Amino acid sequence: MFHNLELREGAYIISDAHYSLQRPELLDLIKDIYTKKLQPSQLILMGDIFDALFGSIEYTYETNQEMIQLIDTIAKDIEVIYLEGNHDFNLKVVFKNVMIFPLAQQPLQLSYNHKKIYLAHGDFDGKMGYKIYTSLIRNPFILFLLKYIDIALNHLIINKIEAHLDKKDDCVELSWFENFIKNRFAKRFECDYFIEGHFHQNKSLRLNSFTYINLAAFACNQRYFIVKSMQDKKLLEEHKFSKEMK
């Protein structure tokens, strides 16, 4: 885990935007940060920001290029922390200025007002089958093969992946979620807050030793979060972005 990172007052936290041509909503918010209409002190991207962005496969950059350039330019001005998700990984070759934290470095420890905060995309502790899968899809040799097979097939593979992802319903309430989280985090982690995305539930639970927060998916309702003073015991303030606000 990385230490000595600070979560800053006024930081924007965005999770699971699943940005694509079919889900372009995040682009307007990022443009507003780029032009300083919105002025976060820090930008934290919690994974699955892109629906398909794989660091070794340049074809996935093409439809994402404007967003990539905006985020990387913003990172010259403010600190941008990017926790890789299961849709966007091997990103150190994509972004020059962004602090990238792959799955193996999650959860990420930060401090805020003398509180210990953990951040993660949310899939860092999957079952063995999932861990094998995530390791394989990030393997440079496998991605190298996929890249050139996809090129030989005129990008049939990547286009099919993107078409499948576009059809997914990412906005489902999970009836089993609270029990799952209580069992998953039983007697784990010494911290004040544990914040993650991945599950898209927009719920906060008080567990035995810390507060667990599962973030809303920006893809579902354009919600993002701003870090606020904890004098009122509320760490994150929820906001909803829309073009009409501009």
Side-chain angles (χ1 to χ4, degrees), residues 3 26 31 56 60 73 93 98 100 117 121 123 127 137-138 140 153 155 170-171 174-175 181 190 209 231 240:
H3 299 270
L26 182 64
K31 284 180 177 178
S56 302
T60 65
T73 302
V93 298
V98 176
I100 303 293
I117 315 289
H121 172 62
D123 62 339
K127 294 181 179 180
I137 63 173
R138 289 166 171 81
L153 296 175
H155 302 299
D170 292 312
C171 309
L174 305 176
S175 60
I181 291 300
E190 293 183 3
S209 59
Q231 293 176 352
K240 183 172 182 178

Side-chain angles (χ1 to χ4, degrees), residues 7-11 40-42 112-113 226-230 235:
L7 181 63
R8 299 177 185 173
E9 180 87 5
S41 60
Q42 182 184 40
Y112 175 71
N113 285 356
I226 299 178
V227 175
K228 293 291 186 180
S229 170
M230 294 199 306
L235 176 64

